[in-house]
Amino acid sequence: MRTRDSVILLVGLVAAVGLLVAADAQLDHINDQRETLKLVINPVLENAPPSLAFATVAMGAFRGLVVDILWMRADKLKEEGQFFDARQLAEWITKLQPRFAAVWEFHAWNMAYNISVAIPATQPEQRWRWVKNGYELLRDEGIPLNPKSIQLYRELARIFQHKMGGVSDDAQKYYKLQFAEEIGPLLESPDNGLSRRDEAYYEALTRTPTEWAQIAKDPNVATLIQALRAADRNFSSDEDFVRNYLTLRQEGDPRPAGGDNRASSKFKPAAFEVLDAYRGTEALKRFDVFAKAYQLRTVWKLDPALMQEVSRTYGPIDFQDPNRHLPLDWRHPDSHAIYWALKGLDIARQQQDREIEVHEVNTDRMVLHSLQNLFRYGRIMILHSAQAPEPPVQGPAAAYQQSPDRYPRLQKDVYLGPDPRIFHSYEKAFREIFVKYGQDRGRNESFSNGHRNMLKNAVLVFYQAGLRGEAQKIYSNLRTRYPLDEFKVSLDQFARNRIIEELDGFGIHDASEQIVSLLINAYGLYAMRDDNAAAANEQLAQQLWDHYFTLFGDSERIDLPPMRVLRYFALGQFLNSEAYPVSLRQALLTRIELEKPELLKELKQTEAELQQQIERLQKTQ
Amino acid sequence: MRRIWAVATNTIRQALRMKVAAIFIVLLLVLLPVMGFTATGDGTLKGRLQTFVSYGLSLTSMLLSLLTIIVSIYAITSDLEHRQIYTVVTKPIRRYQIVLGKILGVVMLDVALLVLFAGIVYSVTSLIPQFMKASDQERQAARNEFYTARASLVPPVLDVQKDVEALYTRLLRNDQLDLIYPNMTRDEIFKQLTNRLRLEKRAATVGQMLVWEFHNVRPLDPNQSLFVRFKYDVSVTPPDEQVYGDWHIGDQRQFLPGARVQHYTRTVRQTRKDAVRKFHELEAPASVVAKDGYLAVGFFNPPLNETVVLFPLEDGLEVLYKADTFTGNFLRAVLLILCRLVFLACLGALAASFLSFPVAILFCLVIFFTGSTSGFIVDSFGYMSETTNRIYTYTIQGIIQLLPQFDKYSPTTYLVSARLMTWGFLGKVALIMVIVQASLLLAFALIIFSFRELAKVVV
């Protein structure tokens, strides 16, 4: 190479390096300007995991091509109805396009909605897996990488509210049960005598140290940690300590149906002995709260302080002290929907002079709908019962059966009931939203329509529950805010009109079915000790009977059995219904025997009369 | 033949000395087993197997395809570039024998590598269930829906020609054609009417039953299961996007009045609720097929639904039953890959016969990648504006049709969904890709190479 060429080469290299260094020096300033001038929504990707950094940078210009190929594959498999690769493809695509919020939103929705319903409802555990995949993708990866994207918060809230909290999916009860079972242990600390209903528990969660290093320094707790480490190698790692501790507690603590899981546990007996030795000590009490707060933060991505704030704002009220809000039931998916929606709204609020977009409006709606859901189905009851073992199947179908059980199986069922205490939180949320949308007539009207319907339902619910005072307050509010003709009647007349509206179109046979159905509901609620709601259902059944007894006249009265006969039929159906666990049915009988002897007497009399009628009929044939 | 063989063995030695070949081979040897144990799919055993086979075979196919292109081009262009060709052509060997020898060498190398890596994929696929904790249900699902080769039967296309003509005449007589089908030609209207009438025959109103009859159903093992794969569409989407279906599967002839039944064939009835516009499979024992190969599948739209239920014409319903083993299907899949490699070897030889190494590589890669995505590209025309669609359809689509359609003949599609790839299908692909297309390319390569000026510098 000639000297001239070498010099040119050298100058070129030096210039290249110099320009590169100069460009790098400008980078921070450029990124700051991008944020100041609001050119991007999300901050620069810093401290990203190595795989993500590699994927987004190393591929250079080929990243777009690879993304295209992955999308093509995902689309092709979706058209063919193949979902085995959906999760992996979603992971790769989102790794290559981490800042494209729509990508996260699409894949989470695809998994939670499309793929889950492609699996038959007879495999709820498979469906649950995909619903979980969907919300975990958003919660654990999408939102941390796009913390300012409100649409991701909204989508996450929607999966909780609509998919898991709603009733349209056949497996929705399974989702609710699994969700409640998974988070339930983190919402109470029996060592501290605190349950999920205690505000003090959430206070304790916010006050406990947030980092492992901090709790490990506590001399009290340090002895417990060391004892567990010495007892079992599973506790040797700091990273897995909390998770293993929580598993140890679940397996070592007594179960609701009795016994524990120690025999089949992966932990050594010495670990359980440490647990037993430390029961009641300050060390265990402190560490227990820390572990649960830590798990809520790191795995569930929930901030206990924000949980507390959300409960204080939107939790059910205490009827004894209406200014006091009780903690939300965080086992319910709608509570999580409210949490994530509020988090998204918080992000949006940081931009003071923003124009409100449709994502924000829909997120506000999400809060209202979740509160409505909690009003309608906010009480979760998990019932345990023992089911007889499945007999071994004979013949060729035996190949399809899992190993037959020898022992009764513990079965869990979840039941949902209304929670009227949520109403005031709903009302408060509505008022805030109404003020927020101020001059926007279109949006205000849309919110108001929903509010009006909610008030109408709430009046009826409180009226039927015997809370007449509350019903009157809500009705007065309804009349003031929406001065329509239908509200220009008294409360009693309004309630009657509403009931008749719902019953309109029913024939005499439908009426008998409806009455029996209401009575069966009443029995179920009575067995679950929800006496107010039971009374409301029974009252409605009576009103219905009265309505049709008057309406159909003499010619058809003969087809409408007396109320006591319908009560007897309803009881018989309830006791034979497999929709209710055996324990619940037994609980009802016990309560009737002990607390309602007059009802028991009436039922026995009815039974005797019916038996006589049957005998008379048989003799005449 | 001895001369061709000599060139072939020399080509193999040359290829194995290439660094790129060594890299590809090592990459596959490492990646395939690792993939086998790290692929998770959807977490189930079947999902894991599907993911591994899909990615394992795809990776093998892609890397071997790239290797074939590179080696076949390099084998010829390196001799030209380094002037080694002069020492060869001066020997008593014809030019066409040199090219044939090169291609034969590349193909033999492909066969050896394909056997090696396909063997690894097959072995790992067989071993995965032993290393994975799976429930009995998962293992059964894997046996029925993965480790098998299921033949597919679709309802025959109905001949509605006479009905279409009658309907067309009636609409024309009542002056309704322009109202219902404005600005359409007669052929277009006929096509619409044909689709409409065919779809009507696959629609069940509430309370109506549809019956499909299949003949020559020959399950390999009557103790196994057969599957009815279906997809609903509806006229009015229910709020929960699911509909009820009452399915009857078996030999309905035995229930007809006056039927004489020598051997009663079992029938199966299933009532279920499924999401619309999604694929579902319902399982029935293969013993529901009558001895003469007759099978009827009936769908009843129960009153619980408040909508018409339709089965789309293309993929609304099919019956899948085991007709061969997974091993047989896997072997055919590997042979399908081999057909692709033979084509690419001939393509490489053609490119190398008149282009330099880098240009030839670029040329072959463009054809390879276009061929691998041609189906998607053509489908995407439908999403563009009408004008753009028309332009692309009359220009690019024609060119794409000439190219190999690798995505249409993808072996992994069959293995992943456990569908039977018949010898007939393989024969058809071999005929198109090898005997017609590859031979044509080879012929051109031989002609060009035979007449090209070897001493001329090609840039």
Side-chain angles (χ1 to χ4, degrees), chain A residues 78-116:
Chain A
K78 184 168 151 269
E79 288 299 313
E80 290 170 3
Q82 299 285 353
F83 301 113
F84 64 90
D85 210 16
R87 166 104 194 155
Q88 187 66 75
L89 284 170
E91 217 174 280
W92 286 339
I93 290 171
T94 48
K95 263 207 177 34
L96 290 171
Q97 291 184 302
R99 295 318 184 86
F100 190 7
V103 164
W104 296 96
E105 194 183 349
F106 171 80
H107 285 290
W109 164 80
N110 192 37
M111 288 195 277
Y113 279 83
N114 286 344
I115 299 177
S116 70

Side-chain angles (χ1 to χ4, degrees), chain A residues 517-579:
Chain A
S517 174
L518 284 165
L519 288 170
I520 291 173
N521 272 350
Y523 289 134
L525 291 162
Y526 188 58
M528 286 186 262
R529 299 193 170 271
D530 191 348
D531 292 359
N532 283 337
N537 276 266
E538 208 173 333
Q539 194 181 19
L540 184 58
Q542 183 67 60
Q543 284 173 343
L544 181 59
W545 192 93
D546 291 340
H547 171 73
Y548 279 97
F549 191 76
T550 314
L551 193 67
F552 283 101
D554 288 334
S555 58
E556 288 182 78
R557 276 184 198 170
I558 196 161
D559 286 335
L560 184 62
M563 195 62 188
R564 58 187 170 74
V565 172
L566 291 174
R567 276 202 197 94
Y568 175 77
F569 286 151
L571 180 64
Q573 285 188 34
F574 178 82
L575 293 175
N576 288 313
S577 171
E578 289 185 7

